[in-house]
Amino acid sequence: KNEVEQSPQNLTAQEGEFITINCSYSVGISALHWLQQHPGGGIVSLFMLSSGKKKHGRLIATINIQEKHSSLHITASHPRDSAVYICAVDRAGGTSYGKLTFGQGTILTVHP
Amino acid sequence: SQTIHQWPATLVQPVGSPLSLECTVEGTSNPNLYWYRQAAGRGLQLLFYSVGIGQISSEVPQNLSASRPQDRQFILSSKKLLLSDSGFYLCACYRTGALFFGSGTQLSVL
């Protein structure tokens, strides 16, 4: 079993829909990251969470440390949100932040 | 703000040839630096990380090596490429709570 599991693996939505991507992990962590990878391959860091909730524009990320679960929500989805969304964790107890363990990614396609 | 320069963007190399991928960081000092690889159809995997000049840690046994000759320069190398070295290579930088990625290098070994 992977240490970081994402669901769903593929997600198709119509423009305007509310989208949720889930991430569960099985190890102790110091932080969890949500990343966005566009077809060209470049990766952008969306959020870094260690507790609670963060919001940036139409994106919301939440984390429940006790349940070892995080969600990424996209409100009013748009075709430009189409990308691969990746959950990654920084293991607890390490001194080198950024040594991430990645989920397999969720491929999101938003149709107009 | 921090910027990561990574080159080349694409590279096609024959089996057995050497490799050198370079990553430089601007806008910060003493960052943690990372090399990740994404094989076709698979997730990202950490290859090397560095917390300072000359300090390299390897996460997986492999045909590759890394060096950090300067604070903001991170190099990924191989003496002889294998077919299995094909993939998408990303450099990343972590500093003061933020994680940044380079634009990546698509390596095809033929």
PDB file of all heavy atoms in Angstrom, chain A residues 78-104:
ATOM      1  N   HIS A  78     -13.123  25.773 -13.719  1.00  0.00           N
ATOM      2  CA  HIS A  78     -12.954  26.373 -15.042  1.00  0.00           C
ATOM      3  C   HIS A  78     -12.039  25.474 -15.862  1.00  0.00           C
ATOM      4  O   HIS A  78     -11.177  24.799 -15.298  1.00  0.00           O
ATOM      5  CB  HIS A  78     -12.330  27.767 -14.876  1.00  0.00           C
ATOM      6  CG  HIS A  78     -12.318  28.586 -16.110  1.00  0.00           C
ATOM      7  ND1 HIS A  78     -11.329  28.471 -17.069  1.00  0.00           N
ATOM      8  CD2 HIS A  78     -13.188  29.528 -16.569  1.00  0.00           C
ATOM      9  CE1 HIS A  78     -11.582  29.299 -18.061  1.00  0.00           C
ATOM     10  NE2 HIS A  78     -12.700  29.956 -17.776  1.00  0.00           N
ATOM     11  N   PRO A  79     -12.194  25.467 -17.194  1.00  0.00           N
ATOM     12  CA  PRO A  79     -11.300  24.624 -18.019  1.00  0.00           C
ATOM     13  C   PRO A  79      -9.812  24.845 -17.747  1.00  0.00           C
ATOM     14  O   PRO A  79      -9.023  23.917 -17.863  1.00  0.00           O
ATOM     15  CB  PRO A  79     -11.687  25.010 -19.445  1.00  0.00           C
ATOM     16  CG  PRO A  79     -13.134  25.346 -19.346  1.00  0.00           C
ATOM     17  CD  PRO A  79     -13.289  26.023 -18.007  1.00  0.00           C
ATOM     18  N   ARG A  80      -9.429  26.048 -17.362  1.00  0.00           N
ATOM     19  CA  ARG A  80      -8.005  26.280 -17.091  1.00  0.00           C
ATOM     20  C   ARG A  80      -7.522  25.589 -15.814  1.00  0.00           C
ATOM     21  O   ARG A  80      -6.331  25.527 -15.540  1.00  0.00           O
ATOM     22  CB  ARG A  80      -7.706  27.772 -16.995  1.00  0.00           C
ATOM     23  CG  ARG A  80      -8.362  28.477 -15.844  1.00  0.00           C
ATOM     24  CD  ARG A  80      -7.898  29.933 -15.747  1.00  0.00           C
ATOM     25  NE  ARG A  80      -8.625  30.651 -14.703  1.00  0.00           N
ATOM     26  CZ  ARG A  80      -9.715  31.374 -14.941  1.00  0.00           C
ATOM     27  NH1 ARG A  80     -10.187  31.492 -16.173  1.00  0.00           N
ATOM     28  NH2 ARG A  80     -10.322  31.998 -13.951  1.00  0.00           N
ATOM     29  N   ASP A  81      -8.475  25.051 -15.025  1.00  0.00           N
ATOM     30  CA  ASP A  81      -8.093  24.260 -13.845  1.00  0.00           C
ATOM     31  C   ASP A  81      -7.663  22.847 -14.223  1.00  0.00           C
ATOM     32  O   ASP A  81      -7.166  22.101 -13.374  1.00  0.00           O
ATOM     33  CB  ASP A  81      -9.265  24.170 -12.856  1.00  0.00           C
ATOM     34  CG  ASP A  81      -9.669  25.521 -12.287  1.00  0.00           C
ATOM     35  OD1 ASP A  81      -8.777  26.372 -12.090  1.00  0.00           O
ATOM     36  OD2 ASP A  81     -10.881  25.715 -12.050  1.00  0.00           O
ATOM     37  N   SER A  82      -7.866  22.471 -15.478  1.00  0.00           N
ATOM     38  CA  SER A  82      -7.490  21.133 -15.929  1.00  0.00           C
ATOM     39  C   SER A  82      -5.991  20.934 -15.765  1.00  0.00           C
ATOM     40  O   SER A  82      -5.183  21.698 -16.304  1.00  0.00           O
ATOM     41  CB  SER A  82      -7.891  20.929 -17.394  1.00  0.00           C
ATOM     42  OG  SER A  82      -9.291  21.034 -17.548  1.00  0.00           O
ATOM     43  N   ALA A  83      -5.640  19.916 -15.009  1.00  0.00           N
ATOM     44  CA  ALA A  83      -4.236  19.663 -14.674  1.00  0.00           C
ATOM     45  C   ALA A  83      -4.182  18.385 -13.845  1.00  0.00           C
ATOM     46  O   ALA A  83      -5.216  17.782 -13.546  1.00  0.00           O
ATOM     47  CB  ALA A  83      -3.650  20.826 -13.877  1.00  0.00           C
ATOM     48  N   VAL A  84      -2.971  17.992 -13.470  1.00  0.00           N
ATOM     49  CA  VAL A  84      -2.804  16.907 -12.501  1.00  0.00           C
ATOM     50  C   VAL A  84      -2.548  17.539 -11.146  1.00  0.00           C
ATOM     51  O   VAL A  84      -1.685  18.416 -11.010  1.00  0.00           O
ATOM     52  CB  VAL A  84      -1.626  15.983 -12.882  1.00  0.00           C
ATOM     53  CG1 VAL A  84      -1.459  14.893 -11.829  1.00  0.00           C
ATOM     54  CG2 VAL A  84      -1.847  15.369 -14.253  1.00  0.00           C
ATOM     55  N   TYR A  85      -3.313  17.107 -10.160  1.00  0.00           N
ATOM     56  CA  TYR A  85      -3.166  17.614  -8.799  1.00  0.00           C
ATOM     57  C   TYR A  85      -2.519  16.530  -7.953  1.00  0.00           C
ATOM     58  O   TYR A  85      -2.980  15.392  -7.919  1.00  0.00           O
ATOM     59  CB  TYR A  85      -4.519  18.048  -8.239  1.00  0.00           C
ATOM     60  CG  TYR A  85      -5.036  19.273  -8.955  1.00  0.00           C
ATOM     61  CD1 TYR A  85      -5.725  19.147 -10.165  1.00  0.00           C
ATOM     62  CD2 TYR A  85      -4.782  20.545  -8.467  1.00  0.00           C
ATOM     63  CE1 TYR A  85      -6.156  20.269 -10.854  1.00  0.00           C
ATOM     64  CE2 TYR A  85      -5.216  21.673  -9.145  1.00  0.00           C
ATOM     65  CZ  TYR A  85      -5.903  21.518 -10.341  1.00  0.00           C
ATOM     66  OH  TYR A  85      -6.321  22.639 -11.030  1.00  0.00           O
ATOM     67  N   ILE A  86      -1.452  16.916  -7.283  1.00  0.00           N
ATOM     68  CA  ILE A  86      -0.626  15.945  -6.564  1.00  0.00           C
ATOM     69  C   ILE A  86      -0.573  16.313  -5.092  1.00  0.00           C
ATOM     70  O   ILE A  86      -0.310  17.465  -4.735  1.00  0.00           O
ATOM     71  CB  ILE A  86       0.807  15.911  -7.138  1.00  0.00           C
ATOM     72  CG1 ILE A  86       0.781  15.589  -8.642  1.00  0.00           C
ATOM     73  CG2 ILE A  86       1.663  14.900  -6.395  1.00  0.00           C
ATOM     74  CD1 ILE A  86       2.119  15.793  -9.328  1.00  0.00           C
ATOM     75  N   CYS A  87      -0.807  15.313  -4.267  1.00  0.00           N
ATOM     76  CA  CYS A  87      -0.660  15.447  -2.822  1.00  0.00           C
ATOM     77  C   CYS A  87       0.710  14.897  -2.445  1.00  0.00           C
ATOM     78  O   CYS A  87       1.115  13.843  -2.952  1.00  0.00           O
ATOM     79  CB  CYS A  87      -1.783  14.670  -2.139  1.00  0.00           C
ATOM     80  SG  CYS A  87      -1.628  14.514  -0.366  1.00  0.00           S
ATOM     81  N   ALA A  88       1.430  15.593  -1.590  1.00  0.00           N
ATOM     82  CA  ALA A  88       2.751  15.120  -1.170  1.00  0.00           C
ATOM     83  C   ALA A  88       2.955  15.452   0.304  1.00  0.00           C
ATOM     84  O   ALA A  88       2.477  16.487   0.777  1.00  0.00           O
ATOM     85  CB  ALA A  88       3.846  15.766  -2.018  1.00  0.00           C
ATOM     86  N   VAL A  89       3.664  14.583   1.020  1.00  0.00           N
ATOM     87  CA  VAL A  89       3.858  14.797   2.450  1.00  0.00           C
ATOM     88  C   VAL A  89       5.331  14.893   2.805  1.00  0.00           C
ATOM     89  O   VAL A  89       6.180  14.231   2.213  1.00  0.00           O
ATOM     90  CB  VAL A  89       3.193  13.677   3.288  1.00  0.00           C
ATOM     91  CG1 VAL A  89       1.691  13.633   3.013  1.00  0.00           C
ATOM     92  CG2 VAL A  89       3.835  12.333   3.050  1.00  0.00           C
ATOM     93  N   ASP A  90       5.595  15.741   3.761  1.00  0.00           N
ATOM     94  CA  ASP A  90       6.898  15.860   4.412  1.00  0.00           C
ATOM     95  C   ASP A  90       6.821  14.994   5.661  1.00  0.00           C
ATOM     96  O   ASP A  90       5.996  15.248   6.535  1.00  0.00           O
ATOM     97  CB  ASP A  90       7.145  17.309   4.848  1.00  0.00           C
ATOM     98  CG  ASP A  90       8.207  17.994   4.033  1.00  0.00           C
ATOM     99  OD1 ASP A  90       9.219  17.350   3.739  1.00  0.00           O
ATOM    100  OD2 ASP A  90       8.011  19.175   3.721  1.00  0.00           O
ATOM    101  N   ARG A  91       7.679  13.986   5.765  1.00  0.00           N
ATOM    102  CA  ARG A  91       7.604  13.096   6.920  1.00  0.00           C
ATOM    103  C   ARG A  91       8.002  13.812   8.202  1.00  0.00           C
ATOM    104  O   ARG A  91       8.897  14.652   8.219  1.00  0.00           O
ATOM    105  CB  ARG A  91       8.542  11.909   6.714  1.00  0.00           C
ATOM    106  CG  ARG A  91       8.054  10.921   5.677  1.00  0.00           C
ATOM    107  CD  ARG A  91       9.149   9.915   5.398  1.00  0.00           C
ATOM    108  NE  ARG A  91       8.675   8.804   4.620  1.00  0.00           N
ATOM    109  CZ  ARG A  91       8.210   7.676   5.150  1.00  0.00           C
ATOM    110  NH1 ARG A  91       8.166   7.531   6.454  1.00  0.00           N
ATOM    111  NH2 ARG A  91       7.804   6.688   4.367  1.00  0.00           N
ATOM    112  N   ALA A  92       7.361  13.452   9.286  1.00  0.00           N
ATOM    113  CA  ALA A  92       7.675  14.036  10.581  1.00  0.00           C
ATOM    114  C   ALA A  92       9.027  13.557  11.071  1.00  0.00           C
ATOM    115  O   ALA A  92       9.461  12.449  10.753  1.00  0.00           O
ATOM    116  CB  ALA A  92       6.600  13.638  11.602  1.00  0.00           C
ATOM    117  N   GLY A  93       9.696  14.427  11.827  1.00  0.00           N
ATOM    118  CA  GLY A  93      10.948  14.028  12.454  1.00  0.00           C
ATOM    119  C   GLY A  93      12.159  14.277  11.599  1.00  0.00           C
ATOM    120  O   GLY A  93      13.294  14.155  12.047  1.00  0.00           O
ATOM    121  N   GLY A  94      11.970  14.669  10.380  1.00  0.00           N
ATOM    122  CA  GLY A  94      13.102  14.941   9.506  1.00  0.00           C
ATOM    123  C   GLY A  94      13.632  16.351   9.705  1.00  0.00           C
ATOM    124  O   GLY A  94      12.915  17.217  10.193  1.00  0.00           O
ATOM    125  N   THR A  95      14.855  16.566   9.317  1.00  0.00           N
ATOM    126  CA  THR A  95      15.426  17.905   9.410  1.00  0.00           C
ATOM    127  C   THR A  95      15.516  18.566   8.044  1.00  0.00           C
ATOM    128  O   THR A  95      15.900  19.715   7.937  1.00  0.00           O
ATOM    129  CB  THR A  95      16.850  17.845  10.015  1.00  0.00           C
ATOM    130  OG1 THR A  95      17.646  16.965   9.214  1.00  0.00           O
ATOM    131  CG2 THR A  95      16.783  17.324  11.435  1.00  0.00           C
ATOM    132  N   SER A  96      15.163  17.809   7.015  1.00  0.00           N
ATOM    133  CA  SER A  96      15.264  18.351   5.668  1.00  0.00           C
ATOM    134  C   SER A  96      13.879  18.445   5.067  1.00  0.00           C
ATOM    135  O   SER A  96      13.371  17.506   4.493  1.00  0.00           O
ATOM    136  CB  SER A  96      16.150  17.459   4.807  1.00  0.00           C
ATOM    137  OG  SER A  96      16.192  17.943   3.482  1.00  0.00           O
ATOM    138  N   TYR A  97      13.250  19.592   5.260  1.00  0.00           N
ATOM    139  CA  TYR A  97      11.938  19.776   4.681  1.00  0.00           C
ATOM    140  C   TYR A  97      12.034  19.769   3.166  1.00  0.00           C
ATOM    141  O   TYR A  97      12.997  20.238   2.583  1.00  0.00           O
ATOM    142  CB  TYR A  97      11.336  21.097   5.164  1.00  0.00           C
ATOM    143  CG  TYR A  97      11.108  21.108   6.651  1.00  0.00           C
ATOM    144  CD1 TYR A  97      12.009  21.711   7.505  1.00  0.00           C
ATOM    145  CD2 TYR A  97       9.992  20.486   7.189  1.00  0.00           C
ATOM    146  CE1 TYR A  97      11.807  21.706   8.869  1.00  0.00           C
ATOM    147  CE2 TYR A  97       9.788  20.476   8.560  1.00  0.00           C
ATOM    148  CZ  TYR A  97      10.691  21.088   9.392  1.00  0.00           C
ATOM    149  OH  TYR A  97      10.495  21.077  10.730  1.00  0.00           O
ATOM    150  N   GLY A  98      10.990  19.256   2.548  1.00  0.00           N
ATOM    151  CA  GLY A  98      10.991  19.169   1.097  1.00  0.00           C
ATOM    152  C   GLY A  98      11.328  17.787   0.610  1.00  0.00           C
ATOM    153  O   GLY A  98      11.261  17.520  -0.583  1.00  0.00           O
ATOM    154  N   LYS A  99      11.690  16.848   1.501  1.00  0.00           N
ATOM    155  CA  LYS A  99      11.883  15.443   1.121  1.00  0.00           C
ATOM    156  C   LYS A  99      10.506  14.814   1.059  1.00  0.00           C
ATOM    157  O   LYS A  99      10.044  14.198   1.992  1.00  0.00           O
ATOM    158  CB  LYS A  99      12.726  14.726   2.162  1.00  0.00           C
ATOM    159  CG  LYS A  99      14.206  14.948   2.062  1.00  0.00           C
ATOM    160  CD  LYS A  99      14.940  14.150   3.121  1.00  0.00           C
ATOM    161  CE  LYS A  99      14.693  12.661   2.965  1.00  0.00           C
ATOM    162  NZ  LYS A  99      15.410  11.888   4.002  1.00  0.00           N
ATOM    163  N   LEU A 100       9.877  14.972  -0.073  1.00  0.00           N
ATOM    164  CA  LEU A 100       8.462  14.633  -0.173  1.00  0.00           C
ATOM    165  C   LEU A 100       8.226  13.200  -0.625  1.00  0.00           C
ATOM    166  O   LEU A 100       8.978  12.646  -1.415  1.00  0.00           O
ATOM    167  CB  LEU A 100       7.774  15.579  -1.158  1.00  0.00           C
ATOM    168  CG  LEU A 100       7.881  17.074  -0.841  1.00  0.00           C
ATOM    169  CD1 LEU A 100       7.157  17.877  -1.904  1.00  0.00           C
ATOM    170  CD2 LEU A 100       7.344  17.380   0.536  1.00  0.00           C
ATOM    171  N   THR A 101       7.128  12.651  -0.115  1.00  0.00           N
ATOM    172  CA  THR A 101       6.576  11.402  -0.622  1.00  0.00           C
ATOM    173  C   THR A 101       5.286  11.769  -1.330  1.00  0.00           C
ATOM    174  O   THR A 101       4.417  12.411  -0.740  1.00  0.00           O
ATOM    175  CB  THR A 101       6.317  10.410   0.513  1.00  0.00           C
ATOM    176  OG1 THR A 101       7.542  10.148   1.197  1.00  0.00           O
ATOM    177  CG2 THR A 101       5.749   9.109  -0.043  1.00  0.00           C
ATOM    178  N   PHE A 102       5.154  11.338  -2.591  1.00  0.00           N
ATOM    179  CA  PHE A 102       4.073  11.816  -3.435  1.00  0.00           C
ATOM    180  C   PHE A 102       2.962  10.796  -3.589  1.00  0.00           C
ATOM    181  O   PHE A 102       3.200   9.581  -3.623  1.00  0.00           O
ATOM    182  CB  PHE A 102       4.610  12.133  -4.835  1.00  0.00           C
ATOM    183  CG  PHE A 102       5.575  13.265  -4.879  1.00  0.00           C
ATOM    184  CD1 PHE A 102       6.909  13.050  -4.615  1.00  0.00           C
ATOM    185  CD2 PHE A 102       5.151  14.542  -5.188  1.00  0.00           C
ATOM    186  CE1 PHE A 102       7.816  14.092  -4.648  1.00  0.00           C
ATOM    187  CE2 PHE A 102       6.052  15.587  -5.230  1.00  0.00           C
ATOM    188  CZ  PHE A 102       7.387  15.370  -4.960  1.00  0.00           C
ATOM    189  N   GLY A 103       1.748  11.311  -3.742  1.00  0.00           N
ATOM    190  CA  GLY A 103       0.656  10.493  -4.235  1.00  0.00           C
ATOM    191  C   GLY A 103       0.788  10.344  -5.745  1.00  0.00           C
ATOM    192  O   GLY A 103       1.653  10.965  -6.375  1.00  0.00           O
ATOM    193  N   GLN A 104      -0.068   9.509  -6.305  1.00  0.00           N
ATOM    194  CA  GLN A 104       0.011   9.231  -7.739  1.00  0.00           C
ATOM    195  C   GLN A 104      -0.596  10.344  -8.588  1.00  0.00           C
ATOM    196  O   GLN A 104      -0.403  10.356  -9.792  1.00  0.00           O
ATOM    197  CB  GLN A 104      -0.698   7.911  -8.054  1.00  0.00           C
ATOM    198  CG  GLN A 104       0.046   6.693  -7.543  1.00  0.00           C
ATOM    199  CD  GLN A 104       1.391   6.527  -8.219  1.00  0.00           C
ATOM    200  OE1 GLN A 104       2.415   6.985  -7.728  1.00  0.00           O
ATOM    201  NE2 GLN A 104       1.413   5.887  -9.363  1.00  0.00           N
TER     202      GLN A 104
END
